[in-house]
């Protein structure tokens, strides 16, 4: 069996259980195993150092055999898949979905600001004035995302469960919302330039979200990406999410 660990890639013999009620052999002995250590280490490296799966796996190969790294089994694709599943499992555990069969609903895999008043969570005062919250909208113009090479292979693990609005409700909103094209007299405004630019290769060009005005924490299920420049219709969805769905008497 190939065992991928933080210390390198190992080939070890593993004995399986042959009790009468044991599980079948292909479940007991998969071809490749990743240790929790290596998955945690990869996710941390990916988050803090921006290491891609390919670079990280090359490092493991080099650690295993500095003379012949190309002879170490190539489990790069497996690492990418398992790391995504591991991240998803940890997020589910952190948000309390570890040992129950409940499936999380929209925005439940993200946390909102702990300091802002939220009825039932950190505020038991019935006076409506004590629940006053203010929000700001912010936008990042540089969050560009390319079209996937094989869109039919894409699997959404947490569609609409975190900070981003679910793709189906976003599509429904875009289909319904009327898009009013605003002509700006300012000839160097970036949003206007972007709206007119041809961006066929990009799936999205920027990202917009709503945050609490005092502490800057983003609101779960309130971020959208912009598909062609600054469409007015796309701006309204984060706003409507804040008012109705995501924070309604949580
Ligand atoms: Zn046994
Ligand atoms: Zn806040």
């Amino acid at each position: 069996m190939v065992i991928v660990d933080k210390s390198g890639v190992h080939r070890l013999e593993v004995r399986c259980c042959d009790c009468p009620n044991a599980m079948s052999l292909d479940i007991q002995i998969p071809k490749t195993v990743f240790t929790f250590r290596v998955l945690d280490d990869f996710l941390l490296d990916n988050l803090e150092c921006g290491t891609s799966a390919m670079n990280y796996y090359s490092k493991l190969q080099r650690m295993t055999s500095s003379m012949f790294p190309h002879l170490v089994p190539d489990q790069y694709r497996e690492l990418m898949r398992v790391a995504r599943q591991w991240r998803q499992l940890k997020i589910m555990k952190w948000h309390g979905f570890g040992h129950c069969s409940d499936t999380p609903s929209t925005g439940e895999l993200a946390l909102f600001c702990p300091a802002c008043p939220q009825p039932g969570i950190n505020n038991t005062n019935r006076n409506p004035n004590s629940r006053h919250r203010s929000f700001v909208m912010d936008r990042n113009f540089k969050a560009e995302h390319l079209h996937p090479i094989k869109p039919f292979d894409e699997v959404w693990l947490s569609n609409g469960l975190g900070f981003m609005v679910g793709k189906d409700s976003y599509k429904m909103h875009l289909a319904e919302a009327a898009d009013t094209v605003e002509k700006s007299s300012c000839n160097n405004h970036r949003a206007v330039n972007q709206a007119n630019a041809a961006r066929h290769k990009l799936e999205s060009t920027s990202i917009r979200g709503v945050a609490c005005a005092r502490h800057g924490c983003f609101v779960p299920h309130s971020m959208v990406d912009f598909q062609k420049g600054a469409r007015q219709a796309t701006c309204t969805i984060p706003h409507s999410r804040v008012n109705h769905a995501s924070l309604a008497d949580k």
Side-chain angles (χ1 to χ4, degrees):
M1 186 194 290
V2 177
I3 296 178
V4 184
D5 183 51
K6 203 177 152 183
S7 60
V9 184
H10 312 280
R11 269 183 201 280
L12 295 175
E13 201 174 310
V14 175
R15 288 235 187 108
C16 62
C17 163
D18 51 3
C19 294
N21 54 356
M23 284 185 278
S24 65
L25 286 188
D26 54 328
I27 294 180
Q28 281 193 45
I29 305 193
K31 283 184 187 152
T32 312
V33 164
F34 289 83
T35 59
F36 292 171
R37 244 167 42 127
V38 76
L39 294 173
D40 282 336
D41 190 56
F42 167 61
L43 291 186
L44 203 62
D45 256 35
N46 179 257
L47 179 70
E48 287 295 334
C49 318
T51 315
S52 66
M54 179 170 273
N55 291 114
Y56 188 82
Y57 198 76
S58 301
K59 185 184 104 176
L60 289 181
Q61 284 177 311
R62 184 68 67 175
M63 275 163 71
T64 313
S65 161
S66 59
M67 287 282 261
F68 307 106
H70 59 284
L71 296 182
V72 176
D74 183 9
Q75 310 293 354
Y76 158 64
R77 285 168 57 88
E78 288 80 357
L79 173 68
M80 285 202 295
R81 170 175 285 211
V82 174
R84 274 189 78 191
Q85 290 171 338
W86 181 242
R87 184 187 283 129
Q88 175 74 2
L89 281 176
K90 294 202 100 171
I91 290 176
M92 296 275 280
K93 190 186 87 173
W94 292 335
H95 291 90
F97 294 93
H99 297 285
C100 56
S101 53
D102 298 357
T103 44
S105 59
T106 46
E108 282 195 335
L109 293 188
L111 289 176
F112 182 57
C113 179
C116 277
Q118 293 164 76
I121 295 178
N122 56 7
N123 187 357
T124 47
N125 195 337
R126 288 186 176 270
N127 178 6
N129 288 336
S130 74
R131 297 179 188 174
H132 179 75
R133 283 183 295 221
S134 42
F135 293 101
V136 288
M137 261 196 198
D138 199 4
R139 180 167 171 191
N140 180 348
F141 284 99
K142 288 187 177 173
E144 295 183 336
H145 189 247
L146 290 170
H147 278 294
I149 300 169
K150 294 177 184 165
F152 38 87
D153 275 353
E154 299 287 316
V155 179
W156 293 63
L157 290 180
S158 52
N159 180 18
L161 303 179
F163 286 101
M164 301 294 291
V165 173
K167 63 173 174 167
D168 293 332
S169 47
Y170 187 33
K171 264 187 199 155
M172 251 162 55
H173 170 81
L174 285 185
E176 282 172 9
D179 197 18
T180 47
V181 180
E182 250 179 85
K183 287 243 168 161
S184 168
S185 55
C186 169
N187 55 12
N188 204 20
H189 184 45
R190 188 147 187 190
V192 178
N193 290 345
Q194 250 192 4
N196 302 331
R199 288 166 177 269
H200 303 297
K201 284 183 186 168
L202 295 176
E203 189 182 25
S204 61
T205 53
S206 62
I207 188 171
R208 176 184 284 246
V210 179
C212 71
R214 278 195 215 157
H215 318 97
C217 287
F218 285 104
V219 179
H221 202 244
S222 74
M223 297 181 110
V224 291
D225 46 23
F226 281 72
Q227 277 137 1
K228 343 168 185 156
R231 283 185 56 176
Q232 199 55 41
T234 38
C235 303
T236 55
I237 191 161
H239 185 242
S240 60
R241 287 290 154 199
V242 169
N243 286 343
H244 311 297
S246 66
L247 291 173
D249 274 350
K250 250 191 169 176

